[in-house]
Amino acid sequence: MIPRTLFDADLDGFRDSVRRFLEQEATPHHAQWEKDGQVSRELWEKAGALGFLCPMLPEEYGGVGADFRYSAVIMEEVSRAGLSGIGWTLHSDIVAPYILNYGSEAQKKHYLPRLATGEMIGAIAMTEPGAGSDLQGVKSNAIKQGDHYVLNGSKTFITNGQMADLVIVVAKTDPKEGAKGTSLFLVEAAWEGFEKGQNLNKVGMKAQDTSELFFQDVRIPVTHLLGGREGQGFFQLMQELPAERLQVALTAVAAAEAAWGWTLDYVKDRKAFGKPVIAFQNTRFKMAEMKAEITAARVFTDRCLELHLERKLDIPTAAMLKQLTTDLQCKVMDECVQLHGGYGYMWEYPIARAWADSRVQRIYAGTNEIMKEIVARSF
Ligand SMILES: Cc1cc2nc3c(=O)[nH]c(=O)nc-3n(C[C@H](O)[C@H](O)[C@H](O)COP(=O)(O)OP(=O)(O)OC[C@H]3O[C@@H](n4cnc5c(N)ncnc54)[C@H](O)[C@@H]3O)c2cc1C
């Protein structure tokens, strides 16, 4: 076994407290949240009170100034417990960093403490019905009229979409331009003209609210343009996407490790032809192959985590990591379902849920085809 070297005793203690919190406050309710199509607000508020939301924010903005390893612990624990309804990673480690890195002092002071307590839930809206991979094709537009921008358009597949109070919206400030005409705005869900559409019915991640959003003449004060200058949106997205891809990889490897563990328990217990399923050479070889691949992915991911802590994780490496770990996650889930036999296809078995939850990892945060494009462009 290769020990992980990035986590010390403090982080191990933090991991234990996150794990206990999730076991008590989330796992018993997750099946109900799947029926509701979203987790409870209470969970967010309790997590905020314990410092599990946005731990990386400086104290002046409501955080504890923790480094990214603390965020990694939270996302790994949520993932290994199969709590796919919890959208904290997007809120804490995607939305909050945009505001911290590009926001004005007033924006930081107003929004970040509210995100840290869970009083406000964050989302980011890039994708539109007609533009996903090709973000330059975004049609939503925000046109300046005096001291406001007027936002029109629609978004889809937005994580935390039903629960969100604050949404970072990607829109064209110059619709004639592609990347150069794109800007990001901080938009509050309560503003007039902002409507939430359906909570979308997904194949997996049933407790995660994923929504359409509609904007009709939403008046955005000019102070809510992120970064203070029009046309910065693409640059801001490109800067933040490697971190998002590392986050997906951390959850992918944690989920694969958990599935491997559940499957080992199952094949030791389950009998066929008078012996445990683990006694068949096929089972042993499949388990061994998966163990090797998951170990390799873990080492690669931890090295990228280390590079990220040193602010050295580059765009192609993050793309390679996201593609490799999520392809592996899906492969592992499929093998693990197979080793569970018919029970692996039953929703009450965690492996069935994990299999369904995993599929989207190859699609969002940039599809794995786009990841290969990014890597190939770097040769
Ligand atoms: C559960 C879920 C949560 C999501 N959360 C969010 C969110 O919070 N915010 C947000 O903005 N978006 C979110 N998304 C959207 C997600 O990021 C997009 O679905 C994704 O980027 C792909 O875009 P698309 O669906 O339009 O597919 P398309 O871009 O239409 O792609 C269709 C196919 O064409 C391939 N393709 C496209 N371009 C190329 C190319 N140049 N070379 C090779 N192949 C190509 C793709 O890889 C894919 O296989 C979420 C999606 C899901 C399903």
Side-chain angles (χ1 to χ4, degrees):
M1 294 306 112
I2 300 180
R4 300 184 76 181
T5 51
L6 288 172
F7 297 89
D8 56 21
D10 282 352
L11 278 145
D12 291 345
F14 181 70
R15 188 182 291 279
D16 286 344
S17 54
V18 174
R19 191 173 292 189
R20 264 199 315 279
F21 174 78
L22 294 172
E23 281 166 3
Q24 285 164 12
E25 302 292 344
T27 301
H29 308 293
H30 206 259
Q32 181 57 45
W33 293 338
E34 285 179 351
K35 292 185 187 129
D36 300 343
Q38 63 182 53
V39 306
S40 71
R41 260 200 181 257
E42 203 188 346
L43 177 79
W44 283 81
E45 284 157 8
K46 284 182 179 170
L50 290 170
F52 296 161
L53 300 179
C54 312
M56 55 66 186
L57 288 176
E59 280 178 37
E60 56 190 306
Y61 303 125
V64 291
D67 70 56
F68 183 75
R69 292 174 304 166
Y70 286 82
S71 296
V73 163
I74 297 169
M75 56 190 86
E76 286 179 357
E77 288 305 307
V78 169
S79 183
R80 66 167 280 290
L83 298 166
S84 57
I86 298 179
W88 294 342
T89 297
L90 187 111
H91 168 94
S92 300
D93 302 297
I94 297 174
V95 172
Y98 272 102
I99 301 173
L100 184 66
N101 295 338
Y102 305 109
S104 66
E105 196 51 34
Q107 287 166 350
K108 291 187 213 180
K109 284 220 164 79
H110 184 73
Y111 289 118
L112 294 177
R114 289 174 170 81
L115 293 176
T117 56
E119 180 190 333
M120 288 187 111
I121 293 178
I124 180 158
M126 302 179 251
T127 308
E128 300 188 350
S133 301
D134 181 13
L135 278 180
Q136 297 198 28
V138 156
K139 293 268 182 291
S140 292
N141 58 82
I143 305 303
K144 198 168 180 188
Q145 289 182 10
D147 58 358
H148 280 77
Y149 286 90
V150 178
L151 173 66
N152 280 288
S154 66
K155 299 286 176 181
T156 193
F157 304 147
I158 306 308
T159 301
N160 295 342
Q162 292 289 309
M163 300 191 79
D165 307 288
L166 177 67
V167 183
I168 299 179
V169 177
V170 178
K172 291 272 173 70
T173 34
D174 184 349
K176 294 189 300 300
E177 292 283 349
K180 279 191 216 148
T182 305
S183 303
L184 307 188
F185 292 91
L186 297 178
V187 181
E188 293 191 24
W191 289 348
E192 212 178 317
F194 185 134
E195 257 191 57
K196 293 175 178 175
Q198 287 186 62
N199 193 0
L200 299 165
N201 185 13
K202 304 184 294 301
V203 169
M205 303 181 81
K206 296 280 189 190
Q208 167 74 74
D209 54 313
T210 309
S211 303
E212 300 170 311
L213 303 176
F214 301 101
F215 313 111
Q216 198 181 1
D217 294 330
V218 179
R219 284 169 66 78
I220 310 174
V222 287
T223 50
H224 281 62
L225 170 66
L226 200 61
R229 265 195 307 135
E230 289 181 13
Q232 296 296 298
F234 241 79
F235 168 77
Q236 292 161 341
L237 290 168
M238 292 309 119
Q239 291 299 305
E240 298 301 315
L241 281 170
E244 184 174 346
R245 290 168 186 157
L246 169 64
Q247 291 160 23
V248 172
L250 285 160
T251 63
V253 178
E257 285 172 345
W260 189 92
W262 303 330
T263 305
L264 183 64
D265 290 344
Y266 185 81
V267 294
K268 281 181 174 172
D269 191 51
R270 177 75 179 168
K271 293 203 172 50
F273 298 94
K275 50 186 176 183
V277 171
I278 186 73
F280 299 114
Q281 189 186 55
N282 176 66
T283 309
R284 299 167 65 78
F285 280 14
K286 288 287 180 205
M287 293 302 288
E289 282 167 19
M290 285 192 280
K291 184 79 186 165
E293 288 175 309
I294 295 169
T295 302
R298 162 59 66 214
V299 172
F300 181 22
T301 305
D302 276 0
R303 179 70 185 119
C304 288
L305 170 56
E306 191 172 39
L307 286 170
H308 179 65
L309 292 166
E310 296 164 2
R311 300 183 187 280
K312 288 183 188 157
L313 180 62
D314 62 50
I315 291 174
T317 307
M320 264 191 273
L321 179 74
K322 192 265 177 182
Q323 179 255 309
L324 185 134
T325 52
T326 56
D327 279 355
L328 176 64
Q329 178 186 7
C330 288
K331 182 177 155 191
V332 165
M333 294 309 168
D334 199 62
E335 295 285 12
C336 289
V337 165
Q338 191 69 17
L339 289 172
H340 277 74
Y343 295 96
Y345 200 62
M346 296 299 120
W347 193 251
E348 69 261 35
Y349 275 69
I351 192 61
R353 290 174 149 96
W355 175 75
D357 291 346
S358 66
R359 187 59 185 86
V360 74
Q361 295 260 81
R362 287 160 58 194
I363 297 172
Y364 58 22
T367 67
N368 283 9
E369 292 72 37
I370 296 296
M371 296 304 100
K372 290 179 208 175
E373 270 296 318
I374 292 171
V375 175
R377 264 184 245 143
S378 72
F379 299 160

Coordinates of all heavy atoms in Angstrom, one line a residue, residues 19 39 83 100-102 106 132 144 173 178 218 227 257 320:
R19 N -16.7 13.0 8.7 CA -17.3 11.7 8.5 C -18.4 11.5 9.5 O -19.5 11.0 9.1 CB -16.2 10.6 8.6 CG -16.7 9.2 8.2 CD -15.6 8.2 8.2 NE -14.6 8.5 7.1 CZ -13.6 7.6 6.8 NH1 -13.5 6.5 7.4 NH2 -12.7 7.9 5.8
V39 N -31.4 18.2 -1.1 CA -31.1 18.0 0.3 C -31.8 19.1 1.1 O -32.4 20.1 0.5 CB -29.6 18.0 0.5 CG1 -28.9 17.0 -0.4 CG2 -29.0 19.4 0.4
L83 N -23.0 10.4 -1.0 CA -24.0 11.5 -0.7 C -24.0 12.5 -1.9 O -23.7 13.6 -1.8 CB -23.6 12.2 0.6 CG -23.7 11.2 1.8 CD1 -23.0 11.9 3.0 CD2 -25.1 10.9 2.2
L100 N -13.8 35.4 -4.3 CA -12.6 35.8 -3.6 C -11.5 36.3 -4.6 O -10.8 37.3 -4.3 CB -12.1 34.5 -2.9 CG -10.9 34.8 -2.0 CD1 -11.2 35.7 -0.8 CD2 -10.4 33.4 -1.4
N101 N -11.4 35.6 -5.7 CA -10.3 36.0 -6.6 C -10.6 37.2 -7.5 O -9.7 37.9 -7.9 CB -10.0 34.8 -7.5 CG -9.4 33.6 -6.7 OD1 -8.9 33.8 -5.6 ND2 -9.5 32.4 -7.2
Y102 N -11.9 37.4 -7.9 CA -12.2 38.5 -8.8 C -13.1 39.5 -8.3 O -13.3 40.5 -9.0 CB -12.8 37.9 -10.1 CG -11.9 36.8 -10.7 CD1 -12.2 35.5 -10.7 CD2 -10.6 37.1 -11.3 CE1 -11.4 34.5 -11.2 CE2 -9.8 36.1 -11.8 CZ -10.2 34.8 -11.7 OH -9.4 33.9 -12.2
A106 N -16.5 45.1 -1.8 CA -17.9 45.1 -1.3 C -18.6 43.8 -1.6 O -19.3 43.3 -0.8 CB -18.6 46.3 -2.1
G132 N -22.9 24.1 -24.6 CA -22.3 23.4 -23.4 C -20.8 23.4 -23.6 O -20.1 24.3 -23.0
K144 N -25.6 46.8 -21.2 CA -25.5 47.9 -20.2 C -26.5 49.0 -20.6 O -26.6 49.4 -21.8 CB -24.1 48.5 -20.3 CG -23.8 49.4 -19.1 CD -22.3 49.6 -19.0 CE -22.0 50.5 -17.8 NZ -20.6 50.9 -17.8
T173 N -21.6 40.4 -22.9 CA -21.8 41.9 -22.8 C -21.6 42.5 -24.2 O -22.0 43.6 -24.4 CB -20.8 42.5 -21.8 OG1 -19.5 41.8 -21.8 CG2 -21.3 42.4 -20.4
G178 N -17.0 36.5 -29.4 CA -17.0 35.2 -28.7 C -16.5 35.4 -27.3 O -17.1 36.0 -26.4
V218 N -33.7 40.9 -16.4 CA -33.2 41.0 -15.0 C -32.2 42.2 -14.9 O -31.3 42.3 -15.7 CB -32.4 39.7 -14.5 CG1 -31.9 39.9 -13.1 CG2 -33.3 38.5 -14.7
G227 N -15.1 41.3 -11.5 CA -13.8 41.7 -12.0 C -13.8 43.1 -12.4 O -12.7 43.7 -12.7
E257 N -12.6 4.1 -4.7 CA -12.1 3.3 -3.5 C -13.2 2.8 -2.7 O -13.2 1.6 -2.2 CB -11.2 4.3 -2.7 CG -9.9 4.6 -3.3 CD -9.1 5.7 -2.5 OE1 -9.7 6.4 -1.7 OE2 -7.9 5.8 -2.8
M320 N -6.0 16.0 -18.1 CA -5.6 14.6 -18.2 C -6.1 13.9 -17.0 O -6.6 12.8 -17.0 CB -4.1 14.5 -18.1 CG -3.4 14.3 -19.4 SD -1.6 13.9 -19.1 CE -0.9 15.5 -18.9

